[in-house]
Coordinates of all heavy atoms in Angstrom, one line a residue:
V26 N 86.6 88.2 41.3 CA 87.3 89.4 40.9 C 88.7 89.4 41.5 O 89.4 90.4 41.4 CB 86.5 90.7 41.2 CG1 85.3 90.8 40.3 CG2 86.1 90.8 42.7
G27 N 89.1 88.3 42.2 CA 90.4 88.2 42.8 C 90.3 87.1 43.8 O 89.3 86.4 44.0
P28 N 91.5 86.9 44.5 CA 91.5 85.8 45.5 C 90.5 86.0 46.6 O 90.3 87.0 47.3 CB 92.9 86.0 46.1 CG 93.7 86.7 45.1 CD 92.7 87.6 44.4
D29 N 89.6 84.9 46.7 CA 88.6 84.9 47.8 C 87.7 86.1 47.7 O 87.2 86.6 48.8 CB 89.2 84.8 49.2 CG 90.0 83.5 49.3 OD1 89.6 82.4 48.9 OD2 91.1 83.5 49.9
T30 N 87.4 86.6 46.6 CA 86.6 87.8 46.4 C 85.7 87.7 45.2 O 86.1 87.3 44.2 CB 87.5 89.1 46.2 OG1 88.4 89.1 47.3 CG2 86.6 90.3 46.3
V31 N 84.4 88.0 45.4 CA 83.4 88.0 44.3 C 82.7 89.4 44.2 O 82.6 90.1 45.2 CB 82.4 86.9 44.5 CG1 83.0 85.5 44.5 CG2 81.6 87.1 45.8
A32 N 82.3 89.7 43.0 CA 81.4 90.8 42.8 C 80.0 90.2 42.5 O 79.9 89.3 41.8 CB 81.9 91.7 41.6
V33 N 79.0 90.8 43.1 CA 77.7 90.3 43.0 C 76.8 91.4 42.5 O 76.7 92.5 43.0 CB 77.1 89.9 44.4 CG1 75.7 89.4 44.3 CG2 78.0 88.8 45.0
D34 N 76.2 91.2 41.3 CA 75.2 92.1 40.7 C 73.8 91.8 41.2 O 73.4 90.7 41.2 CB 75.2 92.0 39.2 CG 76.5 92.5 38.6 OD1 77.1 93.4 39.2 OD2 76.8 92.1 37.5
L35 N 73.2 92.8 41.8 CA 71.8 92.7 42.3 C 70.9 93.6 41.5 O 71.2 94.7 41.0 CB 71.8 93.1 43.7 CG 72.6 92.3 44.7 CD1 72.7 93.0 46.0 CD2 72.1 90.9 44.9
E36 N 69.7 93.0 41.3 CA 68.6 93.8 40.6 C 68.3 95.1 41.3 O 68.2 95.1 42.6 CB 67.4 92.9 40.5 CG 66.1 93.6 40.2 CD 64.9 92.8 40.5 OE1 65.0 91.8 41.3 OE2 63.8 93.1 40.0
T37 N 68.2 96.2 40.6 CA 67.8 97.4 41.3 C 66.3 97.5 41.4 O 65.6 97.5 40.4 CB 68.3 98.6 40.4 OG1 69.7 98.6 40.4 CG2 67.8 99.9 41.1
P38 N 65.8 97.5 42.6 CA 64.3 97.6 42.8 C 63.8 98.9 42.5 O 64.5 99.9 42.5 CB 64.1 97.2 44.3 CG 65.4 97.6 44.9 CD 66.5 97.5 43.9
E39 N 62.5 99.0 42.2 CA 61.8 100.3 42.0 C 62.0 101.2 43.2 O 61.8 100.8 44.3 CB 60.4 100.0 41.7 CG 59.6 101.3 41.3 CD 58.2 101.0 40.9 OE1 57.8 99.8 40.8 OE2 57.4 101.9 40.7
G40 N 62.3 102.4 42.9 CA 62.5 103.4 43.9 C 63.8 103.5 44.6 O 64.0 104.3 45.5
F41 N 64.7 102.5 44.3 CA 66.0 102.5 44.9 C 67.0 103.5 44.3 O 67.2 103.6 43.1 CB 66.7 101.1 44.8 CG 68.0 101.0 45.5 CD1 68.1 101.0 46.9 CD2 69.1 100.9 44.7 CE1 69.3 100.9 47.5 CE2 70.4 100.8 45.3 CZ 70.5 100.7 46.7
S42 N 67.6 104.4 45.1 CA 68.5 105.4 44.7 C 69.7 105.4 45.6 O 69.5 105.4 46.8 CB 67.8 106.8 44.6 OG 68.8 107.7 44.2
A43 N 70.9 105.4 45.1 CA 72.1 105.4 45.9 C 73.3 106.0 45.1 O 73.3 106.0 43.9 CB 72.4 103.9 46.3
R44 N 74.2 106.4 45.9 CA 75.4 107.0 45.3 C 76.6 106.1 45.6 O 76.6 105.4 46.6 CB 75.7 108.4 46.0 CG 74.6 109.4 45.8 CD 74.6 110.0 44.4 NE 75.5 111.2 44.4 CZ 75.8 111.9 43.3 NH1 75.3 111.5 42.1 NH2 76.6 112.9 43.3
P45 N 77.6 106.1 44.7 CA 78.8 105.3 44.9 C 79.4 105.6 46.3 O 79.7 106.7 46.6 CB 79.7 105.7 43.8 CG 78.8 106.2 42.7 CD 77.7 106.9 43.4
G46 N 79.7 104.5 47.0 CA 80.3 104.7 48.4 C 79.3 104.5 49.5 O 79.7 104.3 50.6
Q47 N 78.0 104.5 49.2 CA 77.0 104.2 50.2 C 76.9 102.6 50.3 O 77.5 101.9 49.5 CB 75.6 104.7 49.8 CG 75.5 106.2 49.9 CD 74.1 106.7 49.8 OE1 73.5 106.7 48.7 NE2 73.5 107.2 50.9
F48 N 76.2 102.2 51.4 CA 76.2 100.7 51.6 C 74.7 100.3 51.9 O 73.9 101.1 52.2 CB 77.1 100.3 52.7 CG 76.9 101.0 54.1 CD1 76.0 100.4 55.0 CD2 77.5 102.1 54.4 CE1 75.8 101.0 56.2 CE2 77.3 102.8 55.6 CZ 76.5 102.2 56.5
V49 N 74.5 99.0 51.7 CA 73.2 98.4 51.9 C 73.3 97.2 52.9 O 74.4 96.7 53.1 CB 72.6 97.8 50.6 CG1 72.4 99.0 49.6 CG2 73.5 96.8 50.0
K50 N 72.2 96.9 53.5 CA 72.1 95.7 54.4 C 71.5 94.6 53.6 O 70.4 94.7 53.0 CB 71.3 96.0 55.6 CG 71.2 94.8 56.6 CD 70.4 95.2 57.8 CE 70.3 94.1 58.8 NZ 69.5 94.5 60.0
L51 N 72.2 93.5 53.5 CA 71.8 92.3 52.8 C 71.4 91.2 53.7 O 72.2 90.9 54.7 CB 72.9 91.9 51.8 CG 72.5 90.8 50.7 CD1 73.4 91.0 49.5 CD2 72.7 89.4 51.3
E52 N 70.2 90.6 53.6 CA 69.8 89.5 54.5 C 69.3 88.3 53.7 O 68.7 88.5 52.6 CB 68.6 90.0 55.3 CG 68.9 91.3 56.2 CD 67.7 91.7 57.0 OE1 66.9 90.8 57.3 OE2 67.6 92.9 57.2
T53 N 69.4 87.1 54.3 CA 68.9 85.9 53.7 C 68.9 84.8 54.7 O 69.3 85.0 55.9 CB 69.7 85.5 52.4 OG1 68.9 84.5 51.7 CG2 71.0 85.0 52.8
E54 N 68.4 83.7 54.3 CA 68.4 82.5 55.2 C 69.4 81.5 54.6 O 69.4 81.2 53.4 CB 67.0 81.8 55.2 CG 65.9 82.6 55.8 CD 66.0 82.7 57.3 OE1 66.5 81.7 57.9 OE2 65.5 83.7 57.9
V55 N 70.3 81.0 55.5 CA 71.3 80.0 55.1 C 71.2 78.9 56.0 O 71.4 79.0 57.3 CB 72.7 80.6 55.2 CG1 73.8 79.6 54.8 CG2 72.9 81.8 54.3
E56 N 70.8 77.7 55.5 CA 70.6 76.5 56.3 C 69.7 76.8 57.5 O 70.0 76.3 58.6 CB 71.9 75.9 56.7 CG 72.7 75.5 55.4 CD 74.0 74.8 55.8 OE1 74.4 74.9 57.0 OE2 74.7 74.3 54.9

Side-chain angles (χ1 to χ4, degrees):
V26 292
D29 298 318
T30 306
V31 295
V33 180
D34 288 334
L35 299 168
E36 166 198 16
T37 298
E39 184 176 353
F41 180 73
S42 177
R44 302 281 275 175
Q47 289 189 291
F48 57 92
V49 296
K50 184 179 183 181
L51 190 151
E52 303 180 29
T53 193
E54 296 284 331
V55 179
E56 297 181 351

